[in-house]
Amino acid sequence: MFIWSFALISGITMVWLLAWAIRRGEFQNMREGARMIFDDQEPAGLVTDHFPGEPR
Amino acid sequence: MSRTFILALGIFLTIASSITGLVIIPNWQFKALQPIVKLDGTRYPEPYFGEQAKGREIYINQGCIYCHTQQVRMKGYGADIRRGWGTRRSVPRDYLMDRPHQLGTMRTGPDLASIGARQPSAEWHALHLYNPQITSPGSVMPRFEYFFREVYDGEVIPNDAVKIPRGRQASNATHIVPTDRGRAVIAYLKRLNQSYPLPEANQ
Amino acid sequence: MIAQPLPPAIGPEFEARVEVDGSSRAVVVLFWGTSLLWLTVASLAGIISSIKLHSPDFLGGIEWLTFGRIRAVHWDTAIYGFGGLAASGTLLWLQARLCQVRLPYRNLLLVGGVVFNIGILLGVIGILMGQSTGVETLEFPLWAMPLLVVPYVFIVIANFTMYFKKVTKHTYVSQWYLMAVTVWFPILVLSAEACTNLGAVDGVAQAIANWWYGHNVVGLFATPTGIAAAYYLIPKVIGKPIHSYHLSLLGFWSNAIFYNWAGTHHLTGGPLPAWTITLGVVGSLMMFIPVITIGINHHMTMLGSFHLLKTSPTLRFAVMGSMVYTLSSFQGSLEALRSHQEVTHFTHYTIGHVHFGMYGFFAPLMFAMMYYGMPRLMDQEWSSARLIRIHFWCTLVGMLIYVFAMCYAGIRQGLMMNDPAVPFLNIVRFTIPYLGLRTLGGVILLSGTIAFLINFIRIITPHKYTWATPTLLDSERDWRKVVAKEKEQ
């Protein structure tokens, strides 16, 4: 009984928070956020790590 | 800026809620708990004093907790009671005097919640601590020989000496005498006893 | 062989990155370097305690090396020495890079790093001398704690300063985790110390506080740092944005909400009110949500790029870490179930699980971070590809041997313990070969660490290793020289 009410309350809170976040526009420009780790010298598509001194 | 604040606040609330729910609320629940007055007028649990308190400190600083628990699980959950580690399950009142707690989470060795009831003999504890192989062959417990002074063949044997059984003598030592620390640890171990039937343990 | 496009021409973003990396060099190298020294100490202490469990007379009769002390030293140096320093180095380097600001308060952080190390050293000496507090994972004597807490406050301040000064418009997933760590960790330590060693609560409530902390120091300190590293390294190395940014948001918040309730499963069956344990079990089971979302995100990003595991050391460690994260989290959630705990609680299974998480997930991600970061910080390549390979295979094989030995032995041990007809000493005898196997696993892990340490010492010494085939960094190095020259003029 306790488990279910706890799960229900936390579930409802989660959904409510999610709806609130969407309304605030938190989910816009997601794509850009994911791409911000790349830059002009290490653009997306470039592999940036290799064993030293070995052919790739 | 305000978004950062909300992020930080959310992060803070997650942890604040769990410590409130898991630690502070149960602590309120336990605040009302008092030692019980037994039929013979003594109280259970009693505070640790003297040798017992000193023994408890040694138990802590030797790290006994990493292999021994002090908690008996209820009947039907594990075999703690059937193994004879206790006569009833442990309840919060058993730990009223424990600071810091030594519940433990590992049973490389057996549970010690009621070791004082199971092994009331100081001689047994002395031999077991001095060299666990004497009383429990095959044990992986460390030897705590530094809690004892060895008495060699031909020396005067003090009154409180414990005889090492023949065949178990690794050196010329025939007897051991517990030092102050040895006596303290044994006093603490002998005190560990949760056999008093607290009413809430039957629920 | 995959054709690699040449890096495009130098631009302002690249210059900024080189400058940011340069600003964090001394501090991050100090944190990472000393973390590896502590990992070596922790491994040695672990091996000594492991040997003592199958050959109790090994170094027997020496009080300061007794099992109960060296075992505490092992875990505390692993979690604070290696974990604390490696994670803090990672935090400072990543946050500076992602905010694109120079690392602030560098001198303060350098002093902080040194003080933190002294704090751990004194704490270790305290435990060996018999001043352990007796509260698991908070064993360091109270007088040593300020030496750990104050430097960490510097790190928190530096982290927030960087975040408020950030140049970038967006916040990357890793940054949420890093921010969270700096909020959680100080609160965790201070409130746990208050509730246990400072005596704000007593008896059983103290045990709950202890395991609330013991579980959270792994879950809210090591885990988020590891996840932050994986979220950065996997997309960065393979050059592909993270699979789903939306999922990462869900993963972050569900992790934040559920993980910190899970600790009480360490006391299942104990003398606690049943509802506190129920909360712990529910929290542990709810962890499936973040674990699955984070897993999908990492593994889907990797999809189609597995051939790069052959050529990228960073990726090897990062992918090993993220895969074990999924597996060990599943294992952990199931472990919390009462029926599971009835058998495996109080056995070596738990030890196996901890090492699966710490040495299969957290440590490889920290290694990956160092493999990726050090050449960029030191402006020179790792000296030996062979040592990297030795390190990787030792880590993987040693970890698997260790985890298998402990988990299998733990289940058998638990089943026997629940059968009162089996004498206790028979159980002890049964576990001994597996405890021996664990020592073997530990020695293999230590060998890997030593290989890494050699490579690490070589990369921080000024000797330049040159290669017939240039790595990416060599072209970068030329650009750095151009940048440096332009600065001088």
Side-chain angles (χ1 to χ4, degrees):
Chain A
M1 186 55 214
F2 189 79
I3 304 180
W4 295 117
S5 51
F6 177 74
L8 198 71
I9 290 168
S10 54
I12 291 170
T13 318
M14 285 283 286
V15 172
W16 179 76
L17 277 173
L18 197 68
W20 170 80
I22 292 170
R23 255 183 284 128
R24 265 175 59 97
E26 295 284 340
F27 290 102
Q28 281 154 21
N29 297 326
M30 283 299 214
R31 225 158 257 260
E32 281 175 55
R35 299 186 83 90
M36 66 167 279
I37 54 172
F38 304 110
D39 60 25
D40 51 17
Q41 226 245 344
E42 289 179 356
L46 184 78
V47 177
T48 61
D49 189 63
H50 307 274
F51 275 104
E54 292 182 2
R56 355 194 147 111
Chain B
M1 181 67 197
S2 69
R3 188 178 290 195
T4 313
F5 179 72
I6 290 170
L7 180 72
L9 187 72
I11 291 166
F12 171 75
L13 283 180
T14 53
I15 199 167
S17 63
S18 71
I19 194 169
T20 312
L22 292 177
V23 180
I24 296 174
I25 294 178
N27 194 49
W28 274 338
Q29 239 184 334
F30 301 146
K31 270 275 143 69
L33 273 184
Q34 292 295 328
I36 201 165
V37 180
K38 296 202 273 192
L39 287 176
D40 60 5
T42 58
R43 286 144 70 86
Y44 175 84
E46 278 176 21
Y48 298 96
F49 57 88
E51 274 195 334
Q52 293 175 0
K54 203 178 146 205
R56 189 163 203 275
E57 269 168 41
I58 296 168
Y59 183 94
I60 288 166
N61 80 45
Q62 298 290 323
C64 305
I65 192 177
Y66 301 106
C67 290
H68 293 285
T69 54
Q70 290 189 13
Q71 48 172 316
V72 174
R73 295 184 288 180
M74 68 174 95
K75 204 176 254 174
Y77 192 73
D80 300 12
I81 293 174
R82 282 187 291 157
R83 274 195 176 274
W85 287 340
T87 48
R88 58 166 174 85
R89 71 180 164 100
S90 305
V91 291
R93 205 199 300 252
D94 289 316
Y95 304 93
L96 276 182
M97 304 301 164
D98 285 16
R99 194 184 259 234
H101 84 94
Q102 292 287 296
L103 285 181
T105 53
M106 185 69 187
R107 283 178 180 167
T108 305
D111 185 84
L112 298 182
S114 286
I115 186 67
R118 259 173 32 231
Q119 297 287 1
S121 147
E123 283 76 30
W124 186 91
H125 281 293
L127 290 171
H128 180 241
L129 287 167
Y130 170 70
N131 182 1
Q133 306 301 332
I134 295 176
T135 55
S136 322
S139 162
V140 293
M141 185 166 120
R143 282 180 285 137
F144 295 97
E145 55 200 23
Y146 38 81
F147 291 152
F148 301 91
R149 187 171 66 78
E150 288 168 331
V151 180
Y152 293 95
D153 218 2
E155 284 178 50
V156 182
I157 299 164
N159 284 338
D160 53 349
V162 179
K163 191 173 188 322
I164 306 172
R166 222 169 273 284
R168 296 282 180 194
Q169 297 171 355
S171 61
N172 283 337
T174 56
H175 291 74
I176 48 168
V177 182
T179 61
D180 288 351
R181 292 204 301 161
R183 269 200 303 279
V185 179
I186 294 171
Y188 172 65
L189 291 173
K190 280 180 67 183
R191 174 216 151 105
L192 290 176
N193 187 344
Q194 294 185 351
S195 48
Y196 187 78
L198 290 175
E200 66 267 33
N202 296 322
Q203 286 162 15
Chain C
M1 203 73 28
I2 308 298
Q4 178 81 0
L6 278 174
I10 183 169
E13 290 175 357
F14 170 66
E15 279 182 48
R17 174 155 51 81
V18 170
E19 200 185 318
V20 168
D21 279 356
S23 75
S24 60
R25 175 179 303 135
V27 175
V28 175
V29 171
L30 171 74
F31 277 72
W32 281 349
T34 48
S35 82
L36 289 182
L37 294 179
W38 284 116
L39 180 62
T40 314
V41 173
S43 305
L44 277 172
I47 290 170
I48 294 174
S49 20
S50 178
I51 295 175
K52 276 170 173 281
L53 268 198
H54 52 78
S55 315
D57 283 344
F58 176 72
L59 302 176
I62 307 169
E63 182 166 11
W64 60 276
L65 277 178
T66 192
F67 176 83
R69 292 188 185 173
I70 201 80
R71 153 76 170 74
V73 167
H74 164 62
W75 174 235
D76 283 1
T77 48
I79 187 71
Y80 301 113
F82 169 64
L85 285 161
S88 300
T90 298
L91 177 133
L92 295 172
W93 186 64
L94 253 191
Q95 194 66 285
R97 259 197 161 202
L98 290 170
C99 294
Q100 288 173 21
V101 292
R102 293 164 60 87
L103 184 68
Y105 318 122
R106 285 185 291 279
N107 292 333
L108 196 65
L109 289 169
L110 277 177
V111 174
V114 172
V115 172
F116 195 89
N117 273 291
I118 294 173
I120 296 169
L121 183 67
L122 291 178
V124 166
I125 293 172
I127 293 176
L128 292 178
M129 282 172 32
Q131 295 188 25
S132 160
T133 61
V135 178
E136 278 183 79
T137 69
L138 287 171
E139 287 99 343
F140 283 158
L142 271 179
W143 50 261
M145 287 314 283
L147 299 180
L148 303 186
V149 172
V150 173
Y152 201 81
V153 172
F154 299 165
I155 295 169
V156 176
I157 295 171
N159 181 41
F160 274 89
T161 309
M162 283 190 278
Y163 192 77
F164 286 133
K165 287 202 305 196
K166 79 181 159 89
V167 178
T168 47
K169 213 173 101 216
H170 297 283
T171 304
Y172 191 62
V173 204
S174 300
Q175 285 171 290
W176 308 334
Y177 283 99
L178 297 176
M179 302 291 282
V181 168
T182 54
V183 176
W184 282 329
F185 192 51
I187 299 180
L188 270 177
V189 174
L190 294 177
S191 40
E193 283 286 4
C195 287
T196 55
N197 292 326
L198 297 172
V201 302
D202 283 329
V204 171
Q206 199 178 78
I208 307 177
N210 187 179
W211 285 107
W212 173 81
Y213 177 76
H215 195 75
N216 282 347
V217 76
V218 173
L220 299 183
F221 178 67
T223 303
T225 315
I227 297 173
Y231 264 122
Y232 182 73
L233 289 174
I234 296 176
K236 183 73 181 163
V237 169
I238 64 180
K240 205 165 97 183
I242 197 81
H243 174 69
S244 161
Y245 213 69
H246 290 84
L247 271 186
S248 54
L249 197 73
L250 175 65
F252 174 76
W253 282 109
S254 48
N255 188 62
I257 290 168
F258 297 125
Y259 208 127
N260 55 107
W261 291 87
T264 47
H265 67 229
H266 284 271
L267 295 161
T268 310
L272 289 72
W275 62 269
T276 53
I277 293 168
T278 304
L279 276 176
V281 177
V282 173
S284 308
L285 288 180
M286 295 300 257
M287 279 304 291
F288 273 119
I289 299 173
V291 168
I292 290 171
T293 46
I294 293 167
I296 290 176
N297 235 344
H298 291 169
H299 307 320
M300 290 301 280
T301 308
M302 264 310 284
L303 214 63
S305 302
F306 281 101
H307 59 275
L308 293 174
L309 289 178
K310 241 176 123 76
T311 53
S312 164
T314 303
L315 202 59
R316 277 194 193 182
F317 280 100
V319 169
M320 171 183 170
S322 73
M323 285 191 164
V324 174
Y325 173 68
T326 310
L327 295 174
S328 70
S329 302
F330 280 8
Q331 184 197 23
S333 287
L334 294 176
E335 207 177 337
L337 292 172
R338 274 174 216 267
S339 47
H340 194 305
Q341 281 288 65
E342 185 177 2
V343 177
T344 59
H345 194 26
F346 303 133
T347 70
H348 293 298
Y349 188 91
T350 315
I351 310 290
H353 172 64
V354 173
H355 285 78
F356 199 30
M358 285 301 286
Y359 225 116
F361 153 62
F362 174 73
L365 276 163
M366 292 303 105
F367 298 152
M369 212 66 214
M370 295 178 204
Y371 276 120
Y372 194 78
M374 282 306 287
R376 285 153 180 86
L377 286 167
M378 294 313 297
D379 194 15
Q380 66 178 343
E381 264 301 347
W382 292 102
S383 69
S384 161
R386 175 187 277 178
L387 283 174
I388 300 179
R389 288 207 167 83
I390 292 175
H391 181 210
F392 176 74
W393 289 110
C394 283
T395 306
L396 184 64
V397 173
M399 185 273 292
L400 288 177
I401 291 178
Y402 189 113
V403 173
F404 164 77
M406 288 298 92
C407 288
Y408 176 74
I411 293 172
R412 295 285 306 273
Q413 182 192 8
L415 289 172
M416 284 194 269
M417 214 138 46
N418 284 350
D419 176 3
V422 183
F424 196 85
L425 281 168
N426 286 11
I427 306 174
V428 173
R429 271 185 219 112
F430 162 80
T431 57
I432 283 177
Y434 298 96
L435 295 169
L437 204 56
R438 156 165 82 175
T439 303
L440 176 71
V443 169
I444 296 175
L445 287 173
L446 177 64
S447 318
T449 306
I450 289 171
F452 189 28
L453 203 57
I454 294 171
N455 235 353
F456 196 95
I457 291 168
R458 283 204 206 150
I459 202 174
I460 56 174
T461 43
H463 186 194
K464 292 265 176 192
Y465 291 85
T466 47
W467 302 103
T469 327
T471 56
L472 183 76
L473 214 66
D474 287 308
S475 59
E476 242 191 59
R477 185 145 66 220
D478 298 337
W479 288 119
R480 280 166 197 262
K481 278 179 196 147
V482 174
V483 174
K485 234 176 225 154
E486 277 173 4
K487 282 250 161 70
E488 278 168 26
Q489 286 157 5

